[in-house]
Amino acid sequence: MGRGIQGIDRLRLMRSAAFIFGSFSTLFGLFLIFLILPHINFYRNAWHVIGGYLVIFIIPSLLICGFYRIGRIAGGLLSLLFIYLGLAGLLALIPLNDSFSFFLVLLSCFYFPFFLSADTRAVLTQPLPLKSAEFFAFFRFSLKHLVILCLPLLPVFLFIWWFQQQFRDIESPCPIWTRVSQDQLRRLIQLSLLLPESNTHDQVGYLGSIGTEESVPVLLSCLKGHDRGIQLCTISHLRGSLTELTNHEYHRYRDWKKWWRKNRHKTRKQWMLEGFREHGFDASDPPTDLFIRQLISAKSGSTQPAFLNWNASGQLKQYPREQVLKNLDALTADQSPELRLAAAETLFYLNYPVPGNYHSAAVERLSRLAIDPNLKVASSALRKANILIEKREQLDYQEIWSYDTMEIQYLGPVLDTDSVFVQGKGWAGVFDLESKNLAWTCECQVRGYDRLSDRNRIFLFDQEHDKNLQFIRCCCLDLEARKVIWQKKITAERFHNPESALAAGRIVYPAKSKILGLDLDSGDLVWELSIPNLRHTVCTVGQVVYAAGGEAKQSLFKICPACPEGHVILEKQFPDRTIQAVFCNAEQTKLYAVCNVPNEPFKGHAFLAQVSSITLDIERELKIADIDPGYHASFTPDRDLGFLGIEAFYTCLDLKNFKIVWQECLVHDFKDSVVGKDFVITQDTVSGALLRDKTTGLIRSNLSGLRQVCLSGDRIYAIDEKLHLCQVECQ
């Protein structure tokens, strides 16, 4: 009797111990899932954490309960485990920040007592499923309580899923930020910070531009939760947005928190004025003329912190237009180039990124600054004026010829006022501009990357690869005979965009590390000169060819093309500069060299040098731009003018007086230009063709979608995106 009672007490003790251990392990598992899991960067691997908890705590608990045949307690723990692992799985699928995870913890804690009070006995007396029918009942019971527990969270999950889809669909023709107001977008972006860290990087930048006072605590919460483990770029954007909204700058979260506790009850206008006062501005509301001029001067890139530069534009937009323009005009007429440059910057950013009520006034004033005697001011103003020009009207063009089996890939040169050379895949010919049809075609396999014309002959060049060798293919197309009269293949490597020349019955073609001299009539290789580091251009003055290169890229070469071996008449070395390219004027009477004078590694100044064609001495120099060495230069002569493109710099030069007429720093690298009567068409690597005024550089209209532009009088011909020939009427 006593032995039986002792056995029952021992069994009851073991049941109690197993129940306590299982309950503790379950609660500890909930702690891991809700409080530690959100801090783990690898959200998608959350099941590894849950699996480790399952092996360490839950399974041993169930094994102990099962070993002592405590079936009902083990079943209850298994049911609880199933419910909360299901909830943890849902949380693991959507990574959340600290604030939102804490919200879910509170919500779960609110529903958990209700859940237990309703079915405590049912849960703790649920038997282990040993048969199929019992297992089905057990699964149905656990699934029901999982749904009960997750039902309040369903709207939250649905909202997060919808918001993710909205911000992932960036490539759609109508993204979310085009369908809502600025205030709605701000609220959506603040909610978007509940999304994964990869999206935080993109959203905080928008919030810095359109945020308000209520955006600051959102950014602070994000900065606190992601101060460790996040990319430095995202932290920089978070701090930048806070700085832009508050006009104050701190680097640590604790400093931002301290500032926020002290200034949380103030308005953003007060934050702005206090920030300017701390840096010596005479900030007041309403503003004084002195304060407005200080705000404009902040755009000059002075020693003031960078965030004051940006916030100054936003502050000026809030002040009376007439007062701002009055002070801008005063600084525009100032003798200091720095203040004129600051005025140009201010005029631009008053209309950026959305044109405002300063638009027409800004374009007018920037156009005047574009002819400023200071090159830096003029170049900056021209670029900004071209961006702000409201009507860059697309010139109307019409398709004048298309044929699906004969697509035009290369266009030009214009042969006369009535015809133009055209080329496609495997053919070449002449297009009659009057009848708007092909006059004739012939078979031609050379693709014509580079083209030269000489009276009734056109010379075409391209590149061919054969195993480890590279060849330059060239051919001569006789326009009178209407056929290819010779075609050659020479072992050499072609430059990406070479500029060749004709002189003394020779085609002088620059290949990499050597110059080729080809006979005009037969195409035979007459001579070749090996020049290390040969540049991509050669030019002709008289009957002499000039090139640049040498061991240190510091030499000019004067070559006689008529000699059987291509004799180098003279070599001139310039130890203090690097020669990038050589060009001549339209009459081929003057020689110019584009060179770089290095100040330190990877920095220097680009110069245009007028060189004596006899002695190769530099006669005079003109500074073009501050630019790194190793750039690609392109030059288009036009009477007394020359249009020089160096990477992103495009410059109009007065060659007669040897000075810069205008210059613009492009967003993308310069590609090519075509000069008309009173306009010039420039092409870069991204924007396409732009029609500019020749004397001022201001954009008149664009030719987007067109390439291979050539001119015949005032008529513009080009190839569109469908490889069809088009005509543009230029008024």
Side-chain angles (χ1 to χ4, degrees):
M1 181 75 177
R3 189 175 298 175
I5 294 175
Q6 186 179 6
I8 293 174
D9 292 340
R10 184 181 301 169
L11 181 61
R12 186 177 300 167
L13 180 63
M14 290 180 178
R15 286 180 178 177
S16 300
F19 177 76
I20 293 173
F21 181 77
S23 301
F24 172 77
S25 62
T26 303
L27 293 175
F28 187 73
L30 293 177
F31 171 78
L32 287 177
I33 291 171
F34 284 110
L35 297 182
I36 297 180
L37 188 60
H39 291 275
I40 299 175
N41 291 329
F42 304 101
Y43 294 105
R44 297 292 179 182
N45 296 328
W47 284 107
H48 293 286
V49 179
I50 298 174
Y53 160 69
L54 184 70
V55 172
I56 297 173
F57 294 100
I58 296 297
I59 291 182
S61 175
L62 295 179
L63 289 178
I64 293 174
C65 295
F67 179 77
Y68 287 104
R69 295 181 177 85
I70 314 175
R72 294 188 180 276
I73 295 178
L77 292 175
L78 183 62
S79 177
L80 285 174
L81 174 66
F82 178 83
I83 293 171
Y84 275 93
L85 284 184
L87 179 61
L90 291 177
L91 294 178
L93 291 178
I94 303 181
L96 309 168
N97 69 2
D98 295 343
S99 301
F100 196 69
S101 297
F102 184 68
F103 165 74
L104 290 183
V105 170
L106 292 180
L107 194 62
S108 299
C109 291
F110 175 77
Y111 277 93
F112 186 60
F114 170 78
F115 162 72
L116 284 183
S117 64
D119 284 309
T120 304
R121 182 176 180 81
V123 171
L124 297 180
T125 59
Q126 185 74 12
L128 281 174
L130 301 177
K131 299 179 181 179
S132 58
E134 294 175 350
F135 183 82
F136 178 75
F138 167 80
F139 178 77
R140 184 177 58 186
F141 172 84
S142 302
L143 185 61
K144 181 186 76 171
H145 288 86
L146 175 61
V147 172
I148 292 174
L149 190 63
C150 294
L151 195 59
L153 306 179
L154 184 61
V156 179
F157 289 134
L158 289 178
F159 168 76
I160 293 178
W161 174 82
W162 170 82
F163 200 79
Q164 277 183 323
Q165 300 305 315
Q166 296 296 316
F167 273 89
R168 284 175 178 170
D169 194 19
I170 297 176
E171 301 298 331
S172 68
C174 188
I176 186 173
W177 41 82
T178 64
R179 306 194 300 269
V180 298
S181 66
Q182 180 170 306
D183 187 63
Q184 290 173 322
L185 178 61
R186 174 182 56 79
R187 295 181 184 278
L188 286 174
I189 289 176
Q190 289 173 180
L191 290 173
S192 75
L193 295 178
L194 304 177
L195 297 179
E197 293 178 358
S198 57
N199 288 339
T200 303
H201 176 277
D202 301 326
Q203 307 309 324
V204 294
Y206 290 111
L207 202 57
S209 300
I210 64 176
T212 61
E213 292 89 342
E214 67 180 27
S215 305
V216 175
V218 177
L219 291 170
L220 286 176
S221 175
C222 201
L223 181 63
K224 176 187 177 183
H226 301 96
D227 208 12
R228 297 181 300 272
I230 199 173
Q231 294 180 357
L232 292 177
C233 182
T234 306
I235 294 179
S236 176
H237 285 304
L238 282 167
R239 294 170 180 164
S241 295
L242 285 167
T243 299
E244 187 175 341
L245 287 173
T246 64
N247 208 26
H248 291 75
E249 186 176 35
Y250 300 100
H251 296 284
R252 296 182 300 178
Y253 168 76
R254 69 178 74 173
D255 297 328
W256 276 114
K257 190 66 175 179
K258 182 179 178 181
W259 178 88
W260 175 244
R261 288 174 179 172
K262 183 179 178 181
N263 298 276
R264 62 190 305 174
H265 300 296
K266 297 180 181 178
T267 64
R268 191 186 178 198
K269 179 184 290 188
Q270 292 174 315
W271 297 342
M272 288 289 173
L273 294 177
E274 288 176 359
F276 286 120
R277 290 193 195 103
E278 289 177 2
H279 290 86
F281 287 71
D282 184 28
S284 61
D285 189 28
T288 62
D289 287 345
L290 175 60
F291 181 40
I292 289 181
R293 294 194 184 192
Q294 288 176 333
L295 291 175
I296 297 173
S297 302
K299 306 293 292 184
S300 64
S302 58
T303 56
Q304 300 283 6
F307 68 89
L308 294 178
N309 184 320
W310 177 260
N311 288 335
S313 299
Q315 197 73 10
L316 287 170
K317 291 179 182 179
Q318 303 174 18
Y319 295 150
R321 180 177 183 270
E322 293 74 16
Q323 186 180 9
V324 174
L325 288 178
K326 180 186 72 173
N327 288 279
L328 275 169
D329 290 338
L331 292 182
T332 300
D334 196 278
Q335 296 297 321
S336 171
E338 289 76 16
L339 292 179
R340 297 199 301 275
L341 184 62
E345 292 282 337
T346 304
L347 286 166
F348 175 72
Y349 281 104
L350 284 174
N351 296 273
Y352 183 84
V354 180
N357 59 350
Y358 289 90
H359 186 268
S360 58
V363 172
E364 177 187 351
R365 287 163 173 79
L366 285 171
S367 299
R368 292 201 300 262
L369 285 172
I371 56 174
D372 192 272
N374 183 279
L375 178 60
K376 187 175 181 180
V377 175
S379 176
S380 176
L382 178 60
R383 179 59 191 161
K384 291 171 173 57
N386 281 333
I387 294 176
L388 292 182
I389 290 176
E390 185 174 2
K391 291 186 177 181
R392 294 182 186 175
E393 296 179 352
Q394 171 75 39
L395 285 180
D396 294 331
Y397 63 89
Q398 58 179 347
E399 183 181 296
I400 60 175
W401 188 81
S402 65
Y403 197 76
D404 293 339
T405 59
M406 298 183 68
E407 295 176 338
I408 297 177
Q409 297 178 333
Y410 303 99
L411 179 66
V414 174
L415 305 176
D416 51 48
T417 58
D418 297 326
S419 60
V420 61
F421 176 76
V422 292
Q423 189 178 9
K425 187 176 181 180
W427 65 274
V430 172
F431 187 86
D432 189 285
L433 299 176
E434 294 297 328
S435 63
K436 297 182 179 179
N437 207 344
L438 285 171
W440 58 266
T441 62
C442 66
E443 183 180 354
C444 180
Q445 298 301 323
V446 179
R447 285 166 289 186
Y449 293 153
D450 317 314
R451 299 178 292 279
L452 277 175
S453 60
D454 175 42
R455 284 176 287 183
N456 292 321
R457 291 178 294 184
I458 291 181
F459 306 96
L460 308 175
F461 304 86
D462 70 0
Q463 184 78 57
E464 184 181 84
H465 300 269
D466 183 11
K467 296 181 180 179
N468 296 326
L469 297 177
Q470 294 186 353
F471 301 94
I472 294 176
R473 294 192 306 175
C474 54
C475 73
C476 175
L477 184 64
D478 192 302
L479 300 179
E480 292 183 348
R482 300 185 176 184
K483 65 178 181 180
V484 175
I485 58 176
W486 56 259
Q487 180 171 323
K488 301 293 180 179
K489 186 166 70 172
I490 304 167
T491 304
E493 186 177 356
R494 173 184 171 272
F495 278 110
H496 174 65
N497 191 18
E499 296 190 20
S500 50
L502 298 174
R506 301 283 187 267
I507 303 171
V508 182
Y509 189 87
K512 289 188 176 180
S513 299
K514 58 184 175 182
I515 300 179
L516 307 177
L518 307 178
D519 184 76
L520 277 176
D521 299 322
S522 64
D524 294 333
L525 180 63
V526 180
W527 52 262
E528 65 177 57
L529 289 175
S530 295
I531 298 178
N533 299 314
L534 179 67
R535 314 314 291 166
H536 66 286
T537 63
V538 295
C539 67
T540 303
V541 176
Q543 294 297 315
V544 180
V545 173
Y546 297 86
E551 292 292 344
K553 306 177 186 178
Q554 297 176 337
S555 298
L556 283 176
F557 297 89
K558 185 177 181 180
I559 302 169
C560 177
C563 297
E565 298 180 355
H567 176 62
V568 176
I569 302 174
L570 179 64
E571 177 183 355
K572 184 80 171 185
Q573 189 172 11
F574 302 90
D576 58 340
R577 65 201 64 212
T578 302
I579 312 297
Q580 300 294 343
V582 290
F583 303 103
C584 61
N585 60 353
E587 294 79 14
Q588 295 186 344
T589 57
K590 293 182 180 179
L591 178 66
Y592 301 93
V594 180
C595 53
N596 185 272
V597 180
N599 292 342
E600 55 185 271
F602 307 110
K603 290 186 178 181
H605 304 290
F607 284 85
L608 178 69
Q610 182 175 323
V611 182
S612 169
S613 59
I614 299 175
T615 62
L616 297 185
D617 292 327
I618 294 179
E619 297 176 343
R620 49 183 177 173
E621 286 186 332
L622 179 65
K623 181 181 176 181
I624 301 296
D626 295 327
I627 197 169
D628 296 342
Y631 46 78
H632 181 87
S634 176
F635 187 81
T636 304
D638 177 61
R639 298 177 185 170
D640 293 333
L641 297 179
F643 296 89
L644 175 64
I646 304 176
E647 287 192 352
F649 286 92
Y650 188 66
T651 308
C652 175
L653 299 161
D654 182 351
L655 299 179
K656 183 177 181 179
N657 299 308
F658 207 66
K659 67 177 184 179
I660 294 176
V661 180
W662 54 263
Q663 182 183 76
E664 181 177 351
C665 182
L666 308 175
V667 177
H668 308 287
D669 288 352
F670 174 78
K671 186 178 180 182
D672 196 6
S673 63
V674 180
V675 182
K677 182 179 180 181
D678 61 348
F679 62 87
V680 58
I681 299 174
T682 61
Q683 302 177 73
D684 59 40
T685 55
V686 175
S687 300
L690 297 172
L691 190 144
R692 303 169 178 270
D693 187 278
K694 184 189 290 188
T695 57
T696 64
L698 291 171
I699 294 175
R700 294 184 186 175
S701 50
N702 69 54
L703 303 170
S704 61
L706 300 179
R707 59 186 182 88
Q708 298 279 330
V709 179
C710 65
L711 297 177
S712 176
D714 287 336
R715 293 178 296 180
I716 302 173
Y717 296 92
I719 301 173
D720 65 9
E721 296 174 346
K722 299 179 181 178
L723 300 180
H724 297 161
L725 183 60
C726 300
Q727 177 182 336
V728 182
E729 293 294 337
C730 181
Q731 301 298 331

